[in-house]
């Protein structure tokens, strides 16, 4: 039987639970090692994950020490097997200790957010080395190739975070908006960004005809989550729906909203990212609102499936709402509908064909 060992930076991340499920569905025997955080729910994996430690409130230095100690303890169980490393930190420490063939997944470019130029440049170089020495690197955004250029095509595969094939059927209905009446805008995900708070606050205070629907959880300890919660409790046109199950609840969520908000606070890792909301917007025929000057905004503008704004600027948000028209909305919704829904489903056949040749 084919076998793979996952070493995950977070056992609380549903993205990696879905990745593990894909390998199980494709006939792999899977072992999962990883790290958890206090007060966060560990995802339910197809196999029982082995917790290597708790990283809550640990300094970067202490986390690296924990990784080093943990990987030394499991190295013997991993050698001779194909491994899966979920982040730069994991790959950086595990690669010289475990010494096994590995698949490396890059979901963000967090190293670009480090202010210290020397440390940032060093981590970028380490990341390039991890990519070079991998059996295969998975990029979850085509935008990452705008930064890590000139990577040989046999070294990587781009697998965006598309809609799960297990998503329940969705009935596509015609709809339009009347800007003078009610407009329903939804945020679907973890509520923690300044841009989300800013957008919600502007709509709550200045546009009673705009209804904001929040689906997800308020990130614990995040000041912008707390401030968004305060707004939701104060204004009737902000409705908090709480936790949802992905993908089971997605059809019901998108049937309630006219547009989906996916304008994340601009930072180096976000600038190059390609979030799953892009594919959900197309799949559910729901125009998307994104932050401008990002890879995502370029793609949204090129496909004409949504709106690019500066979600940190109050005037930009007001201008967007004030200038919203039924014609513009209908055009973007029609563009969403023109794209085959099958293109938005996560099948990953190419991934497993590539792995079969490793």
């Amino acid at each position: 039987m084919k076998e793979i060992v996952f070493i995950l930076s977070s056992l609380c991340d549903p993205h990696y639970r879905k990745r593990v499920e894909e390998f199980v569905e494709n006939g792999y025997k899977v072992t999962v090692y990883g790290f958890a955080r206090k007060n966060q729910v560990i995802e339910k994996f197809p196999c029982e994950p082995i917790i290597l430690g708790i990283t809550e409130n640990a300094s970067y230095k202490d986390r690296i020490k924990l990784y080093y100690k943990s990987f030394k303890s499991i190295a013997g169980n991993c050698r001779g097997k194909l491994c899966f490393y979920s982040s730069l930190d994991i790959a950086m420490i595990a690669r010289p200790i475990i010494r096994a063939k590995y698949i490396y997944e890059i979901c963000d470019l967090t190293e670009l957010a480090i202010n210290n130029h020397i440390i940032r440049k060093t981590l970028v170089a380490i990341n390039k080395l991890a990519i070079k020495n991998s059996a295969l690197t998975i990029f979850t955004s085509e935008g990452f190739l705008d930064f890590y250029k000139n990577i040989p095509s046999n070294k990587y595969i781009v697998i965006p975070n598309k809609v799960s094939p297990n998503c329940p059927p969705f009935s596509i209905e015609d709809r339009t908006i009347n800007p003078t009446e009610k407009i329903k805008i939804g945020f679907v995900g973890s509520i923690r960004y300044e841009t989300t708070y800013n957008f919600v606050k502007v709509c709550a205070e200045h546009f009673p005809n705009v209804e904001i629907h929040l689906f997800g959880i308020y990130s614990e300890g995040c000041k912008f989550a707390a401030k968004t919660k305060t707004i939701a409790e104060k204004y009737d046109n902000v409705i908090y729906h709480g936790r949802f199950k992905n993908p089971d609840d997605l059809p019901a969520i998108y049937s309630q909203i006219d547009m989906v908000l996916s304008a994340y606070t601009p930072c180096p890792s976000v600038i190059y990212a390609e979030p799953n909301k892009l594919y959900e917007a197309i799949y559910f025929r729901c125009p998307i609102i994104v932050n401008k000057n990002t890879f995502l905004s370029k793609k949204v503008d090129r496909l004409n499936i949504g709106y690019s704004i500066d979600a940190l600027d109050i005037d930009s948000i007001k201008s967007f709402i004030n200038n919203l028209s039924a014609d513009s909305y209908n055009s973007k919704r029609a563009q969403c509908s023109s794209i085959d829904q099958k293109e938005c489903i996560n099948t990953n056949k190419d991934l497993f064909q590539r792995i079969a040749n490793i």
Side-chain angles (χ1 to χ4, degrees), residues 302-322:
R302 175 168 54 83
L303 295 173
N304 190 31
I305 58 171
Y307 305 87
S308 295
I309 65 170
D310 181 352
L312 290 177
D313 182 74
I314 293 175
D315 290 335
S316 178
I317 298 171
K318 287 183 177 180
S319 177
F320 162 65
I321 300 294
N322 285 325

PDB file of all heavy atoms in Angstrom, residues 302-322:
ATOM      1  N   ARG A 302      -9.920  40.822 -14.217  1.00  0.00           N
ATOM      2  CA  ARG A 302      -9.764  40.216 -15.548  1.00  0.00           C
ATOM      3  C   ARG A 302     -10.983  39.373 -15.911  1.00  0.00           C
ATOM      4  O   ARG A 302     -11.450  39.400 -17.056  1.00  0.00           O
ATOM      5  CB  ARG A 302      -8.499  39.359 -15.585  1.00  0.00           C
ATOM      6  CG  ARG A 302      -8.294  38.593 -16.886  1.00  0.00           C
ATOM      7  CD  ARG A 302      -6.902  37.995 -16.972  1.00  0.00           C
ATOM      8  NE  ARG A 302      -6.564  37.169 -15.822  1.00  0.00           N
ATOM      9  CZ  ARG A 302      -6.934  35.885 -15.692  1.00  0.00           C
ATOM     10  NH1 ARG A 302      -7.666  35.309 -16.636  1.00  0.00           N
ATOM     11  NH2 ARG A 302      -6.572  35.198 -14.649  1.00  0.00           N
ATOM     12  N   LEU A 303     -11.505  38.651 -14.946  1.00  0.00           N
ATOM     13  CA  LEU A 303     -12.671  37.803 -15.184  1.00  0.00           C
ATOM     14  C   LEU A 303     -13.984  38.584 -15.104  1.00  0.00           C
ATOM     15  O   LEU A 303     -15.034  38.078 -15.512  1.00  0.00           O
ATOM     16  CB  LEU A 303     -12.703  36.655 -14.163  1.00  0.00           C
ATOM     17  CG  LEU A 303     -11.560  35.640 -14.234  1.00  0.00           C
ATOM     18  CD1 LEU A 303     -11.636  34.658 -13.066  1.00  0.00           C
ATOM     19  CD2 LEU A 303     -11.592  34.880 -15.561  1.00  0.00           C
ATOM     20  N   ASN A 304     -13.917  39.810 -14.556  1.00  0.00           N
ATOM     21  CA  ASN A 304     -15.099  40.669 -14.379  1.00  0.00           C
ATOM     22  C   ASN A 304     -16.176  39.988 -13.531  1.00  0.00           C
ATOM     23  O   ASN A 304     -17.362  40.005 -13.861  1.00  0.00           O
ATOM     24  CB  ASN A 304     -15.694  41.073 -15.746  1.00  0.00           C
ATOM     25  CG  ASN A 304     -16.751  42.159 -15.605  1.00  0.00           C
ATOM     26  OD1 ASN A 304     -16.685  42.989 -14.702  1.00  0.00           O
ATOM     27  ND2 ASN A 304     -17.742  42.139 -16.488  1.00  0.00           N
ATOM     28  N   ILE A 305     -15.735  39.405 -12.408  1.00  0.00           N
ATOM     29  CA  ILE A 305     -16.672  38.677 -11.547  1.00  0.00           C
ATOM     30  C   ILE A 305     -16.867  39.356 -10.187  1.00  0.00           C
ATOM     31  O   ILE A 305     -17.469  38.766  -9.281  1.00  0.00           O
ATOM     32  CB  ILE A 305     -16.201  37.230 -11.318  1.00  0.00           C
ATOM     33  CG1 ILE A 305     -14.799  37.216 -10.691  1.00  0.00           C
ATOM     34  CG2 ILE A 305     -16.235  36.435 -12.630  1.00  0.00           C
ATOM     35  CD1 ILE A 305     -14.368  35.823 -10.233  1.00  0.00           C
ATOM     36  N   GLY A 306     -16.361  40.583 -10.034  1.00  0.00           N
ATOM     37  CA  GLY A 306     -16.513  41.242  -8.747  1.00  0.00           C
ATOM     38  C   GLY A 306     -15.957  42.649  -8.746  1.00  0.00           C
ATOM     39  O   GLY A 306     -15.742  43.262  -9.803  1.00  0.00           O
ATOM     40  N   TYR A 307     -15.694  43.143  -7.541  1.00  0.00           N
ATOM     41  CA  TYR A 307     -15.313  44.536  -7.338  1.00  0.00           C
ATOM     42  C   TYR A 307     -14.019  44.626  -6.530  1.00  0.00           C
ATOM     43  O   TYR A 307     -13.855  43.923  -5.527  1.00  0.00           O
ATOM     44  CB  TYR A 307     -16.418  45.274  -6.590  1.00  0.00           C
ATOM     45  CG  TYR A 307     -17.772  45.188  -7.256  1.00  0.00           C
ATOM     46  CD1 TYR A 307     -18.638  44.113  -7.004  1.00  0.00           C
ATOM     47  CD2 TYR A 307     -18.197  46.173  -8.144  1.00  0.00           C
ATOM     48  CE1 TYR A 307     -19.887  44.032  -7.610  1.00  0.00           C
ATOM     49  CE2 TYR A 307     -19.446  46.104  -8.762  1.00  0.00           C
ATOM     50  CZ  TYR A 307     -20.279  45.030  -8.490  1.00  0.00           C
ATOM     51  OH  TYR A 307     -21.507  44.953  -9.102  1.00  0.00           O
ATOM     52  N   SER A 308     -13.110  45.516  -6.937  1.00  0.00           N
ATOM     53  CA  SER A 308     -11.876  45.764  -6.211  1.00  0.00           C
ATOM     54  C   SER A 308     -11.973  47.117  -5.512  1.00  0.00           C
ATOM     55  O   SER A 308     -12.253  48.130  -6.159  1.00  0.00           O
ATOM     56  CB  SER A 308     -10.673  45.766  -7.165  1.00  0.00           C
ATOM     57  OG  SER A 308     -10.486  44.490  -7.743  1.00  0.00           O
ATOM     58  N   ILE A 309     -11.756  47.119  -4.202  1.00  0.00           N
ATOM     59  CA  ILE A 309     -11.852  48.348  -3.419  1.00  0.00           C
ATOM     60  C   ILE A 309     -10.650  48.446  -2.474  1.00  0.00           C
ATOM     61  O   ILE A 309      -9.883  47.488  -2.329  1.00  0.00           O
ATOM     62  CB  ILE A 309     -13.153  48.389  -2.587  1.00  0.00           C
ATOM     63  CG1 ILE A 309     -13.139  47.262  -1.523  1.00  0.00           C
ATOM     64  CG2 ILE A 309     -14.379  48.266  -3.477  1.00  0.00           C
ATOM     65  CD1 ILE A 309     -14.251  47.368  -0.509  1.00  0.00           C
ATOM     66  N   ASP A 310     -10.511  49.575  -1.835  1.00  0.00           N
ATOM     67  CA  ASP A 310      -9.554  49.715  -0.738  1.00  0.00           C
ATOM     68  C   ASP A 310     -10.362  49.622   0.549  1.00  0.00           C
ATOM     69  O   ASP A 310     -10.974  50.606   0.985  1.00  0.00           O
ATOM     70  CB  ASP A 310      -8.822  51.051  -0.820  1.00  0.00           C
ATOM     71  CG  ASP A 310      -7.789  51.223   0.296  1.00  0.00           C
ATOM     72  OD1 ASP A 310      -7.749  50.372   1.207  1.00  0.00           O
ATOM     73  OD2 ASP A 310      -7.034  52.211   0.268  1.00  0.00           O
ATOM     74  N   ALA A 311     -10.388  48.444   1.146  1.00  0.00           N
ATOM     75  CA  ALA A 311     -11.247  48.203   2.308  1.00  0.00           C
ATOM     76  C   ALA A 311     -10.720  48.841   3.585  1.00  0.00           C
ATOM     77  O   ALA A 311     -11.364  48.749   4.634  1.00  0.00           O
ATOM     78  CB  ALA A 311     -11.433  46.697   2.521  1.00  0.00           C
ATOM     79  N   LEU A 312      -9.555  49.479   3.519  1.00  0.00           N
ATOM     80  CA  LEU A 312      -9.051  50.227   4.668  1.00  0.00           C
ATOM     81  C   LEU A 312      -9.403  51.713   4.567  1.00  0.00           C
ATOM     82  O   LEU A 312      -9.135  52.477   5.492  1.00  0.00           O
ATOM     83  CB  LEU A 312      -7.528  50.067   4.791  1.00  0.00           C
ATOM     84  CG  LEU A 312      -7.035  48.681   5.202  1.00  0.00           C
ATOM     85  CD1 LEU A 312      -5.514  48.642   5.219  1.00  0.00           C
ATOM     86  CD2 LEU A 312      -7.587  48.277   6.566  1.00  0.00           C
ATOM     87  N   ASP A 313     -10.000  52.086   3.452  1.00  0.00           N
ATOM     88  CA  ASP A 313     -10.333  53.487   3.211  1.00  0.00           C
ATOM     89  C   ASP A 313     -11.846  53.681   3.247  1.00  0.00           C
ATOM     90  O   ASP A 313     -12.581  53.082   2.443  1.00  0.00           O
ATOM     91  CB  ASP A 313      -9.776  53.922   1.851  1.00  0.00           C
ATOM     92  CG  ASP A 313     -10.044  55.386   1.572  1.00  0.00           C
ATOM     93  OD1 ASP A 313      -9.373  56.230   2.178  1.00  0.00           O
ATOM     94  OD2 ASP A 313     -10.945  55.671   0.758  1.00  0.00           O
ATOM     95  N   ILE A 314     -12.315  54.484   4.166  1.00  0.00           N
ATOM     96  CA  ILE A 314     -13.757  54.692   4.341  1.00  0.00           C
ATOM     97  C   ILE A 314     -14.391  55.244   3.072  1.00  0.00           C
ATOM     98  O   ILE A 314     -15.468  54.801   2.654  1.00  0.00           O
ATOM     99  CB  ILE A 314     -14.015  55.638   5.538  1.00  0.00           C
ATOM    100  CG1 ILE A 314     -13.605  54.956   6.843  1.00  0.00           C
ATOM    101  CG2 ILE A 314     -15.476  56.057   5.600  1.00  0.00           C
ATOM    102  CD1 ILE A 314     -13.699  55.843   8.069  1.00  0.00           C
ATOM    103  N   ASP A 315     -13.748  56.211   2.439  1.00  0.00           N
ATOM    104  CA  ASP A 315     -14.315  56.824   1.234  1.00  0.00           C
ATOM    105  C   ASP A 315     -14.421  55.819   0.089  1.00  0.00           C
ATOM    106  O   ASP A 315     -15.352  55.884  -0.714  1.00  0.00           O
ATOM    107  CB  ASP A 315     -13.464  58.015   0.795  1.00  0.00           C
ATOM    108  CG  ASP A 315     -13.579  59.196   1.759  1.00  0.00           C
ATOM    109  OD1 ASP A 315     -14.607  59.281   2.452  1.00  0.00           O
ATOM    110  OD2 ASP A 315     -12.639  60.009   1.819  1.00  0.00           O
ATOM    111  N   SER A 316     -13.453  54.901   0.006  1.00  0.00           N
ATOM    112  CA  SER A 316     -13.495  53.876  -1.039  1.00  0.00           C
ATOM    113  C   SER A 316     -14.701  52.958  -0.838  1.00  0.00           C
ATOM    114  O   SER A 316     -15.382  52.592  -1.808  1.00  0.00           O
ATOM    115  CB  SER A 316     -12.200  53.060  -1.028  1.00  0.00           C
ATOM    116  OG  SER A 316     -12.252  52.040  -2.013  1.00  0.00           O
ATOM    117  N   ILE A 317     -14.969  52.586   0.397  1.00  0.00           N
ATOM    118  CA  ILE A 317     -16.120  51.716   0.692  1.00  0.00           C
ATOM    119  C   ILE A 317     -17.419  52.460   0.393  1.00  0.00           C
ATOM    120  O   ILE A 317     -18.336  51.905  -0.234  1.00  0.00           O
ATOM    121  CB  ILE A 317     -16.083  51.255   2.162  1.00  0.00           C
ATOM    122  CG1 ILE A 317     -14.823  50.430   2.427  1.00  0.00           C
ATOM    123  CG2 ILE A 317     -17.334  50.439   2.500  1.00  0.00           C
ATOM    124  CD1 ILE A 317     -14.583  50.118   3.889  1.00  0.00           C
ATOM    125  N   LYS A 318     -17.500  53.714   0.831  1.00  0.00           N
ATOM    126  CA  LYS A 318     -18.712  54.505   0.577  1.00  0.00           C
ATOM    127  C   LYS A 318     -18.949  54.676  -0.923  1.00  0.00           C
ATOM    128  O   LYS A 318     -20.086  54.554  -1.406  1.00  0.00           O
ATOM    129  CB  LYS A 318     -18.580  55.875   1.244  1.00  0.00           C
ATOM    130  CG  LYS A 318     -18.712  55.859   2.755  1.00  0.00           C
ATOM    131  CD  LYS A 318     -18.625  57.290   3.305  1.00  0.00           C
ATOM    132  CE  LYS A 318     -18.813  57.326   4.805  1.00  0.00           C
ATOM    133  NZ  LYS A 318     -18.728  58.707   5.343  1.00  0.00           N
ATOM    134  N   SER A 319     -17.872  54.954  -1.659  1.00  0.00           N
ATOM    135  CA  SER A 319     -17.993  55.133  -3.104  1.00  0.00           C
ATOM    136  C   SER A 319     -18.490  53.852  -3.775  1.00  0.00           C
ATOM    137  O   SER A 319     -19.327  53.901  -4.685  1.00  0.00           O
ATOM    138  CB  SER A 319     -16.642  55.545  -3.686  1.00  0.00           C
ATOM    139  OG  SER A 319     -16.706  55.658  -5.090  1.00  0.00           O
ATOM    140  N   PHE A 320     -17.973  52.714  -3.319  1.00  0.00           N
ATOM    141  CA  PHE A 320     -18.404  51.430  -3.872  1.00  0.00           C
ATOM    142  C   PHE A 320     -19.901  51.225  -3.663  1.00  0.00           C
ATOM    143  O   PHE A 320     -20.626  50.886  -4.607  1.00  0.00           O
ATOM    144  CB  PHE A 320     -17.617  50.291  -3.226  1.00  0.00           C
ATOM    145  CG  PHE A 320     -18.250  48.940  -3.375  1.00  0.00           C
ATOM    146  CD1 PHE A 320     -18.398  48.354  -4.627  1.00  0.00           C
ATOM    147  CD2 PHE A 320     -18.725  48.252  -2.273  1.00  0.00           C
ATOM    148  CE1 PHE A 320     -18.992  47.106  -4.775  1.00  0.00           C
ATOM    149  CE2 PHE A 320     -19.329  47.009  -2.401  1.00  0.00           C
ATOM    150  CZ  PHE A 320     -19.460  46.438  -3.658  1.00  0.00           C
ATOM    151  N   ILE A 321     -20.379  51.443  -2.449  1.00  0.00           N
ATOM    152  CA  ILE A 321     -21.804  51.239  -2.153  1.00  0.00           C
ATOM    153  C   ILE A 321     -22.663  52.250  -2.915  1.00  0.00           C
ATOM    154  O   ILE A 321     -23.685  51.900  -3.512  1.00  0.00           O
ATOM    155  CB  ILE A 321     -22.078  51.346  -0.641  1.00  0.00           C
ATOM    156  CG1 ILE A 321     -21.278  50.285   0.136  1.00  0.00           C
ATOM    157  CG2 ILE A 321     -23.567  51.194  -0.361  1.00  0.00           C
ATOM    158  CD1 ILE A 321     -21.666  48.867  -0.133  1.00  0.00           C
ATOM    159  N   ASN A 322     -22.249  53.508  -2.909  1.00  0.00           N
ATOM    160  CA  ASN A 322     -23.050  54.554  -3.557  1.00  0.00           C
ATOM    161  C   ASN A 322     -23.154  54.368  -5.066  1.00  0.00           C
ATOM    162  O   ASN A 322     -24.143  54.766  -5.682  1.00  0.00           O
ATOM    163  CB  ASN A 322     -22.449  55.933  -3.255  1.00  0.00           C
ATOM    164  CG  ASN A 322     -22.722  56.402  -1.831  1.00  0.00           C
ATOM    165  OD1 ASN A 322     -23.788  56.114  -1.285  1.00  0.00           O
ATOM    166  ND2 ASN A 322     -21.787  57.119  -1.240  1.00  0.00           N
TER     167      ASN A 322
END
